[in-house]
């Protein structure tokens, strides 16, 4: 295993990438943050509101691994600023007009932008971090902060100007595109040029069996997280009777707790190992989610915070685990662990909404308690992978990529 130097958030490439990641993930959080406003202003049912979350997640779930496979063959650093602007444009348009179909199309555009961003950004961050788990934690922290800022930003804009004020929400995308462009200028190959073809050095074989188990666990986490993101605001408003601000605070706590959890995950993994920390996180999530569903009153916020930490501690660790389980397919691993398996929860959210329409929101959230337990069972047989050596980039490419495979471009 290669020796890794220590990293801090003061490292300029990681700082820029993390800040750009925050601007992009504002738009993942914004979809769920807009749900209560769609319900109140447009009288959407729970099922219709969850359909908005599905629209943002479905295309993202499908196209994100495709972007990962593409970036295994070709460097596409230009995707970072372009996809950031695309994600912002979708949310900006989502509140315009009263057509449900056009709203779905708008948030679907956001989903595509988010999908295009994550595989390439994770590969660029891996190169900038030289494989450091702590540095990747800082990169993931940026996304978590973006999530946390989303309900506050959306509430400030939409509560004041209504859904027709959503075009103002494009501003983080503009800032994020500038930050991404600046980050790419700092993460260059040794000759200072950004190439178009990439290869990576690998020290091991792809472990698809372990990667499939990890993906299954991440999918369980995704359903829990997206389900709570879509409905915890409404749930807390019902359980406390404190109105819209109480729901906004609950969603903020769900996202903000991830900032602490992500940084803690990198530090805990350095002491106890990634797989051990990930397993314990899933175990803690079971009683934490149960508390959200079953406990009434102000104590709900404590369980929301605990759930947030339990779901976010393993977040960046799962990304680096996936990359180390598939050292020959880093882009694919990034696309799945950071994208497909995360966004797939949106596919299940309409089921939660439909069950809530037929019973109650509390009953509909109850099945989420079992999913972290299933994830823990999937993780039990996993072992810590041997991390591959530091990446070696060929042809001046920014990120690393898979080794030569049939059909992979080679240098002349």
């Amino acid at each position: 295993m290669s020796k890794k130097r220590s990293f801090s958030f003061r490292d300029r490439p990681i700082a820029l990438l993390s800040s750009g990641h925050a601007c992009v993930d504002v738009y993942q959080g914004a979809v769920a943050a807009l749900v209560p406003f769609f319900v109140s202003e447009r009288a959407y049912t729970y099922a219709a509101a969850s359909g908005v979350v599905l629209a943002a997640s479905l295309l993202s779930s499908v196209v994100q691994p495709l972007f990962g496979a593409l970036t295994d063959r070709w460097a596409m650093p230009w995707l970072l600023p372009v996809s950031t602007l695309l994600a912002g444009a979708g949310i900006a348009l989502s509140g315009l007009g009263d057509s449900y179909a056009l709203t779905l199309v708008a948030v679907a555009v956001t989903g595509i932008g988010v999908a295009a961003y994550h595989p390439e950004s994770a590969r660029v961050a891996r190169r900038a971090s030289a494989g450091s788990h702590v540095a990747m934690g800082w990169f993931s922290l940026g996304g978590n902060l973006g999530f946390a800022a989303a309900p506050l930003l959306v509430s400030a804009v939409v509560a004041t100007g209504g859904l027709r004020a959503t075009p103002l929400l494009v501003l983080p995308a503009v800032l994020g595109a500038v930050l991404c462009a600046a980050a790419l200028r700092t993460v260059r190959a040794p000759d200072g040029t950004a190439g178009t073809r990439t290869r990576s050095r690998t020290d091991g074989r792809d472990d698809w069996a372990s990667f499939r188990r990890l993906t299954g666990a991440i999918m369980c986490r995704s359903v829990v997280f997206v389900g709570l993101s879509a409905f915890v605001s409404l749930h807390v408003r019902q359980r406390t009777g404190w109105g819209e601000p109480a729901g906004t605070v609950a969603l903020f706590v769900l996202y903000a707790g991830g900032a602490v959890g992500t940084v803690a995950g990198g530090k805990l993994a350095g002491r106890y190992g990634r797989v051990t920390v990930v397993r314990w996180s899933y175990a803690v999530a079971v009683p934490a989610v149960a508390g959200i569903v079953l406990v009434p009153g102000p104590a709900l916020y404590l369980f929301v915070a605990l759930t947030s930490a339990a779901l976010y501690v393993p977040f960046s660790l799962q990304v680096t685990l996936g990359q180390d389980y598939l050292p020959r397919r880093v882009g694919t691993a990034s696309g799945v662990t950071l994208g497909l398996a995360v966004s797939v929860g949106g596919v299940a959210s309409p089921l939660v909404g439909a069950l809530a329409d037929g019973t109650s929101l509390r009953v509909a959230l109850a099945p989420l308690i079992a999913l972290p337990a299933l994830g823990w069972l999937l993780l039990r047989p996993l072992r810590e992978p041997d991390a591959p050596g530091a990446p070696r980039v060929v042809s001046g490419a920014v990120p690393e990529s898979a080794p030569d495979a049939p059909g992979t471009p080679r240098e002349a």
Side-chain angles (χ1 to χ4, degrees):
M1 186 178 300
S2 62
K3 185 178 180 180
K4 315 288 186 188
R5 72 178 179 89
S6 61
F7 275 82
S8 75
F9 192 67
R10 290 171 294 179
D11 288 271
R12 189 164 183 262
I14 291 296
L16 288 170
L17 288 167
S18 180
S19 300
H21 194 187
C23 293
V24 173
D25 277 5
V26 160
Y27 298 107
Q28 290 206 80
V31 175
L34 284 168
V35 165
F37 295 99
F38 286 131
V39 171
S40 60
E41 194 168 321
R42 295 183 179 174
Y44 286 178
T45 64
Y46 288 135
S50 59
V52 175
V53 179
L54 171 63
S57 301
L58 187 58
L59 276 178
S60 181
S61 298
V62 173
V63 304
Q64 191 140 295
L66 298 181
F67 280 111
L70 287 173
T71 57
D72 273 332
R73 300 180 64 183
W74 296 285
M76 298 180 179
W78 54 268
L79 273 178
L80 272 65
V82 170
S83 60
T84 301
L85 291 172
L86 190 63
I91 289 297
L93 295 172
S94 66
L96 302 181
D98 295 324
S99 169
Y100 183 67
L102 291 180
T103 299
L104 297 183
V105 171
V107 297
V109 168
T110 291
I112 293 174
V114 169
Y117 172 84
H118 280 100
E120 185 73 354
S121 67
R123 288 155 53 75
V124 174
R126 182 177 172 91
R127 171 171 172 77
S129 69
S132 165
H133 306 323
V134 174
M136 285 298 288
W138 283 116
F139 169 70
S140 297
L141 171 64
N144 299 338
L145 291 176
F147 260 113
L152 302 181
L153 181 63
V154 168
S155 181
V157 171
V158 180
T160 302
L163 287 172
R164 293 190 179 276
T166 56
L168 293 173
L169 296 174
V170 78
L171 295 178
V174 176
L175 174 60
V178 172
L179 291 169
C180 287
L184 292 174
R185 285 196 294 270
T186 66
V187 186
R188 295 287 187 175
D191 64 357
T193 61
T196 58
R197 298 180 182 180
T198 62
R199 291 209 308 259
S200 68
R201 189 182 74 192
T202 176
D203 297 321
R205 297 180 178 179
D206 291 338
D207 183 357
W208 284 100
S210 295
F211 184 77
R212 282 192 291 268
R213 283 186 167 273
L214 177 67
T215 300
I218 296 175
M219 290 172 69
C220 292
R221 175 205 177 273
S222 174
V223 174
V224 174
F225 182 77
V226 176
L228 290 176
S229 296
F231 296 113
V232 73
S233 179
L234 295 170
H235 176 68
V236 169
R237 286 164 61 177
Q238 291 177 4
R239 298 286 282 170
T240 62
W242 291 345
E244 186 177 290
T248 299
V249 170
L251 191 59
F252 173 75
V253 171
L254 180 66
Y255 291 163
V260 177
T262 301
V263 175
K267 295 184 179 298
L268 289 171
R271 182 171 183 178
Y272 300 107
R274 288 174 293 177
V275 173
T276 299
V277 172
V278 170
R279 281 200 202 103
W280 274 105
S281 298
Y282 277 74
V284 170
V286 177
V289 175
I292 293 178
V293 176
L294 302 174
V295 174
L300 264 174
Y301 290 102
L302 296 177
F303 286 101
V304 171
L306 182 60
T307 297
S308 177
L311 294 179
Y312 270 113
V313 162
F315 187 78
S316 65
L317 306 181
Q318 292 170 154
V319 176
T320 59
L321 278 172
Q323 291 173 337
D324 289 346
Y325 283 135
L326 299 185
R328 297 173 181 269
R329 296 289 182 270
V330 171
T332 298
S334 300
V336 172
T337 56
L338 200 55
L340 170 63
V342 175
S343 60
V344 77
V347 178
S349 63
L351 300 178
V352 178
L355 182 58
D357 285 331
T359 56
S360 70
L361 192 51
R362 184 182 180 190
V363 170
L365 294 176
L368 301 183
I369 300 171
L371 289 175
L374 176 58
W376 179 83
L377 290 173
L378 288 169
L379 293 167
R380 282 196 66 191
L382 294 189
R383 297 292 180 266
E384 191 76 23
D386 292 328
R392 176 176 61 86
V393 178
V394 178
S395 188
V398 173
E400 64 190 285
S401 86
D404 295 329
T408 303
R410 289 177 177 268
E411 289 188 279

